[in-house]
């Protein structure tokens, strides 16, 4: 997992604050059903060295308004 050096201040997909962001260039699984830390992950298209990638913005329960 690669973490971007220059992440935006708010999530570009929803505009809300987020706790962390990760960039993925390969397949991955997002299961939030049993996740005590994160309630929502937003996916935003990106590139990594010219190759397609997805940036994943991890929102806590509080940031997603569900605490």
């Amino acid at each position: 997992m690669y973490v971007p050096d220059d992440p935006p201040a708010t999530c570009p997909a929803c505009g809300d604050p987020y706790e962390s962001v990760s960039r993925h260039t390969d397949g991955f699984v997002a299961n939030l059903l049993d996740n005590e830390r994160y309630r929502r992950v937003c996916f935003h298209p990106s590139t990594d060295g010219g190759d397609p990638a997805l940036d994943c913005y991890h929102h806590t329960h509080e940031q997603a308004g569900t605490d």
Side-chain angles (χ1 to χ4, degrees), residues 5-42:
D5 291 332
D6 57 347
T10 59
C11 175
C14 71
D16 290 342
Y18 61 93
E19 185 174 84
S20 61
V21 59
S22 58
R23 180 167 291 159
H24 301 267
T25 56
D26 291 326
F28 62 95
V29 174
N31 175 8
L32 300 181
L33 294 176
D34 301 315
N35 195 312
E36 292 182 17
R37 186 171 186 176
Y38 298 116
R39 171 53 68 191
R40 183 175 77 221
V41 175
C42 292

